[in-house]
Amino acid sequence: MLWLILAIINAAGYAICGFFDNYITDVVFKGKKQESIKIFYGISYLITAAALFFIFGYQEMELGRIAWLLAAGVLSSTASIPYYRALKDEETTTASVFLQLTPVIYLIADSLIFKVAITPIQILAFFVIIMAPIVIVVSRRRKRSRKLELSAAGGFLAYVVLAATSGVITAHAGEGFEFTTTFSWFVIGRGIMDLIYYFAHPDWRKRYQYIHKHDKKRLYWSLSAAQGVFLIAEFAGRYALIIGTPALVSVTSNALEMIIVFVLGIILSIIVPKFGREKLSRHIVLAHLVATILAVIGIIMLQ
């Protein structure tokens, strides 16, 4: 049951990361060019890979598998761009609802690539999960708010497809190899791509340098904390995908993450409003509750 423990760590870590991402986007960067944080993350990923190789050693791996793991890292890096752009218009709880399409993508990928059969109950579960973000969109009373929801939904959907594809590639390319080696090649791919994106965008560099100059302390404590939690969650999640069944791991992790995010969203918004940033009007909380219940039921049905 090690995969289950790792899935729990992954769920809690991603839930906390969601609030850090919102804080960094809204408070530190004020919704402007927050993708520029890739310079920080890119360097930290490469340092992480070097540390893993130094501590655990290097296991020989075929060039083809290394290429696939690097590609998984590239996809993961690319996925973060639409994610951050969508996050500037959404609170963490809403974002977590849209991201619950991830296990659906895992099952579809397993079916298309590895010929895993999809059962009728899983098809029904797909529709139940899809109802969750629809509830969020419909709950917005103003037309402009609904347009923002739909725009954000597109960004989150792009993130889900890219991130899930990255996870499937990691799980199968790393099969039969030590996880530390697999994870190291993955983070090398992500780190290199993060740096390429950063240096390819002069406006990102300019924005990062401005925040670095005017709000250095808040910038680095939030980025360091977020990256530390993310690496723990990512390590646990990727390892769970390798030793467990990818779709089942994703189902368990996502269901738990939904519950944790919903509870934390209310608590943090009351205690630390800048960090929580959730809208706590009665109809929005109710919509989030209904969406969370639908998503969790759908996710459980996928097993």
Side-chain angles (χ1 to χ4, degrees):
M1 296 297 287
L2 178 58
W3 71 266
L4 179 58
I5 296 173
L6 293 171
I8 294 172
I9 294 173
N10 176 257
Y14 275 143
I16 295 171
C17 278
F19 290 100
F20 269 118
D21 288 343
N22 240 319
Y23 178 82
I24 293 168
T25 297
D26 292 338
V27 179
V28 181
F29 280 82
K30 296 178 173 58
K32 298 178 181 178
K33 308 298 181 185
Q34 63 274 9
E35 301 94 336
S36 66
I37 60 177
K38 283 185 172 295
I39 179 64
F40 179 90
Y41 288 156
I43 293 172
S44 69
Y45 283 129
L46 295 180
I47 292 174
T48 298
L52 288 174
F53 280 137
F54 178 77
I55 295 171
F56 296 100
Y58 175 77
Q59 182 185 21
E60 291 291 335
M61 181 179 282
E62 299 98 320
L63 289 177
R65 288 183 182 250
I66 292 175
W68 277 113
L69 291 171
L70 292 174
V74 169
L75 287 175
S76 180
S77 173
T78 304
S80 67
I81 296 176
Y83 169 76
Y84 278 112
R85 290 179 179 174
L87 195 61
K88 69 180 181 180
D89 295 320
E90 292 294 351
E91 61 267 24
T92 307
T93 304
T94 300
S96 71
V97 171
F98 284 112
L99 299 182
Q100 297 321 306
L101 293 172
T102 302
V104 175
I105 303 301
Y106 272 119
L107 281 173
I108 292 174
D110 277 343
S111 175
L112 293 176
I113 301 173
F114 303 103
K115 308 304 179 184
V116 177
I118 297 179
T119 66
I121 192 68
Q122 288 174 331
I123 295 175
L124 178 61
F126 293 170
F127 289 101
V128 174
I129 292 174
I130 290 171
M131 285 299 299
I134 291 176
V135 167
I136 295 294
V137 174
V138 173
S139 70
R140 296 307 190 241
R141 294 173 176 174
R142 291 186 300 175
K143 189 175 181 180
R144 182 176 180 276
S145 296
R146 291 187 181 182
K147 286 183 178 180
L148 287 175
E149 291 288 353
L150 291 172
S151 176
F156 288 132
L157 180 60
Y159 167 79
V160 165
V161 172
L162 291 170
T165 303
S166 171
V168 170
I169 291 173
T170 302
H172 291 281
E175 190 174 1
F177 290 86
E178 292 178 2
F179 174 70
T180 51
T181 298
T182 298
F183 189 71
S184 295
W185 284 116
F186 163 77
V187 294
I188 286 174
R190 171 144 188 177
I192 291 174
M193 199 65 222
D194 276 354
L195 294 178
I196 289 174
Y197 276 128
Y198 175 80
F199 286 109
H201 291 80
D203 54 335
W204 292 9
R205 297 200 301 273
K206 184 177 179 180
R207 182 61 178 164
Y208 188 88
Q209 290 163 5
Y210 176 85
I211 301 298
H212 170 81
K213 181 179 180 180
H214 293 89
D215 202 2
K216 183 186 297 185
K217 183 177 180 180
R218 185 159 56 178
L219 171 66
Y220 287 109
W221 84 256
S222 59
L223 285 177
S224 298
Q227 184 68 342
V229 174
F230 176 79
L231 283 172
I232 292 172
E234 188 79 352
F235 188 95
R238 299 275 167 175
Y239 194 13
L241 287 171
I242 289 177
I243 65 175
T245 303
L248 183 57
V249 170
S250 179
V251 163
T252 305
S253 178
N254 282 40
L256 291 173
E257 184 183 343
M258 282 290 298
I259 297 170
I260 295 171
V261 167
F262 180 77
V263 175
L264 278 181
I266 295 175
I267 294 174
L268 291 175
S269 294
I270 296 172
I271 300 175
V272 192
K274 283 188 177 181
F275 198 75
R277 200 185 72 89
E278 301 292 306
K279 298 180 180 68
L280 297 181
S281 64
R282 182 180 297 179
H283 85 276
I284 290 180
V285 172
L286 180 61
H288 282 166
L289 177 60
V290 172
T292 298
I293 292 172
L294 284 171
V296 171
I297 290 173
I299 289 168
I300 292 173
M301 289 171 64
L302 287 176
Q303 296 188 56

